[in-house]
Amino acid sequence: MEQFSITKNCTTLFHGFPLIDLSKPDSKSQLVHACEEFGFFKVVNHGVPIKFMSELESEAVKFFSLPLSAKEKAGPPDPFGYGNKKIGSNGDVGWVEYLLLTTNTESDYQKFASIFGEAAEKFRCAVNDYLSAVKKMACQILEILADGLKIQPRNVFSKLLMDEQSDSVFRMNHYPPCPEIDQESNGGNLIGFGEHTDPQIISVLRSNNTSGLQISLKDGNWISIPPDQYSFFINVGDSLQVMTNGRFKSVRHRVVTNSPKSRLSMIYFGGPPLSEKIAPLPSLMKGEDSLYKEFTWFEYKKSVYNSRLADNRLGLFEKIAAS
């Protein structure tokens, strides 16, 4: 694993994964290459004000520092709200507590009024400011990717996030300081959030300066991603993999906890409207056969919620190649 920056195929690799400066004119080819080879990259000069990042982190720290009995007033997740250790409804667990919010934030805040009182409005404003800036960056990245793929119109991906009916989700994860664990088991790591791919189009992640995120490379090896509280990490989601007919790869990732420090992360999952048909874009096919059956986002989301985290959830929607 590279411990320094190198340039490979015109893409800067940092600790073995792509680092992309969104302000540079050559970011287009770098973004496409990163999505093809890794399904993951780090972005700098992203345009999201540090003030929005730090204010939301401060509000999240306040919430997760509350007594469990107070936090549980915002749960259980149905699907939105506060959850603790249990991830989904199919037996996945992790060393994590979390808040899951719809990006239509108005509908969530009744749950928080009883916990925060008058401070609920400050929490809501911090989430809204952060989300509007992060969503803008996600759309910018998707439009640069469309340019790089020579697709018209250039908002073919971003319009799905901008749609009023966009089914996007915002998640704040808190991984508490880790108890003493058996160093022999799992290399001394405790699973914070098990390995999985994200089902949506694109995910935008930011964390505090505590490590834990790992991604799986094409060869199946896992590499640790050094934290950077001022940058963002982007995951290609399953839906974008399908829309590019497998050219872009959704990245398998996980979080391990082995730190005496707590880790806080916040993730915007940009999703399409529930009724949107997810299929390879005809302009990218060039005579190729589709690798996937067409499905709506609602159908795929329902299938994902009925699966385990580590399942190959796109497998059910792949066309079986004729032998």
Side-chain angles (χ1 to χ4, degrees):
M1 184 174 81
E2 296 90 343
Q3 295 300 322
F4 47 85
S5 297
I6 64 170
T7 301
K8 183 178 179 183
N9 295 338
C10 301
T11 300
T12 300
L13 295 184
F14 178 75
H15 288 265
F17 62 89
L19 168 66
I20 297 173
D21 183 339
L22 284 186
S23 68
K24 294 283 178 66
D26 63 349
S27 63
K28 183 164 64 177
S29 58
Q30 290 190 11
L31 284 169
V32 170
H33 182 255
C35 290
E36 291 174 338
E37 295 300 315
F38 294 85
F40 176 89
F41 50 93
K42 173 180 175 175
V43 291
V44 295
N45 287 323
H46 42 70
V48 177
I50 287 176
K51 176 173 180 272
F52 291 172
M53 296 153 70
S54 58
E55 283 181 356
L56 181 56
E57 181 171 326
S58 172
E59 291 301 312
V61 167
K62 280 184 208 166
F63 175 80
F64 288 118
S65 300
L66 291 169
L68 182 60
S69 58
K71 290 182 284 193
E72 285 179 336
K73 290 179 183 174
D78 57 358
F80 301 110
Y82 172 78
N84 187 11
K85 295 191 173 65
K86 185 180 173 188
I87 303 168
S89 56
N90 299 298
D92 288 299
V93 293
W95 188 254
V96 64
E97 58 176 344
Y98 58 88
L99 265 181
L100 201 55
L101 306 172
T102 167
T103 54
N104 174 17
T105 45
E106 302 300 325
S107 57
D108 285 327
Y109 288 88
Q110 294 76 11
K111 281 187 174 181
F112 300 110
S114 63
I115 304 167
F116 286 129
E118 291 178 4
E121 179 64 16
K122 190 179 177 191
F123 179 72
R124 186 179 72 82
C125 288
V127 172
N128 284 353
D129 287 345
Y130 178 87
L131 277 180
S132 63
V134 165
K135 180 178 173 182
K136 181 180 176 183
M137 175 188 47
C139 289
Q140 177 193 359
I141 288 170
L142 289 172
E143 288 172 6
I144 296 172
L145 285 170
D147 289 343
L149 292 170
K150 300 180 170 59
I151 305 172
Q152 291 291 339
R154 75 190 299 260
N155 72 341
V156 67
F157 302 127
S158 64
K159 69 181 181 184
L160 301 175
L161 273 58
M162 295 302 295
D163 193 299
E164 282 186 6
Q165 302 299 314
S166 164
D167 183 42
S168 296
V169 176
F170 183 54
R171 182 178 194 110
M172 291 191 281
N173 290 332
H174 174 236
Y175 302 90
C178 206
E180 291 295 324
I181 51 178
D182 179 5
Q183 294 294 317
E184 298 300 316
S185 63
N186 198 35
N189 292 321
L190 192 68
I191 293 298
F193 209 108
E195 65 174 89
H196 62 287
T197 59
D198 295 335
Q200 291 88 354
I201 295 169
I202 189 171
S203 309
V204 181
L205 177 142
R206 171 191 177 265
S207 75
N208 65 356
N209 255 353
T210 302
S211 62
L213 178 64
Q214 298 183 338
I215 65 166
S216 176
L217 302 178
K218 275 184 170 179
D219 60 10
N221 285 322
W222 290 90
I223 62 168
S224 293
I225 307 300
D228 179 350
Q229 62 186 333
Y230 300 115
S231 302
F232 287 90
F233 298 92
I234 312 296
N235 297 340
V236 169
D238 295 342
S239 296
L240 189 55
Q241 177 172 319
V242 171
M243 294 176 79
T244 59
N245 204 33
R247 181 168 170 182
F248 291 175
K249 307 296 184 197
S250 61
V251 64
R252 188 161 283 268
H253 55 288
R254 67 188 181 191
V255 174
V256 296
T257 56
N258 56 7
S259 172
K261 297 185 295 180
S262 66
R263 180 173 186 268
L264 185 73
S265 66
M266 38 199 75
I267 313 102
Y268 165 72
F269 299 96
L274 287 171
S275 60
E276 185 71 26
K277 288 189 169 70
I278 307 296
L281 298 175
S283 55
L284 284 178
M285 298 298 283
K286 297 174 183 160
E288 297 173 13
D289 290 332
S290 170
L291 299 177
Y292 305 95
K293 307 167 190 171
E294 185 178 274
F295 53 86
T296 65
W297 169 238
F298 175 80
E299 290 168 334
Y300 189 54
K301 184 179 177 182
K302 185 177 175 185
S303 174
V304 165
Y305 276 106
N306 288 326
S307 68
R308 297 291 298 267
L309 276 177
D311 291 348
N312 172 19
R313 300 186 287 203
L314 267 182
L316 296 173
F317 297 87
E318 290 170 357
K319 286 185 176 176
I320 309 297
S323 53

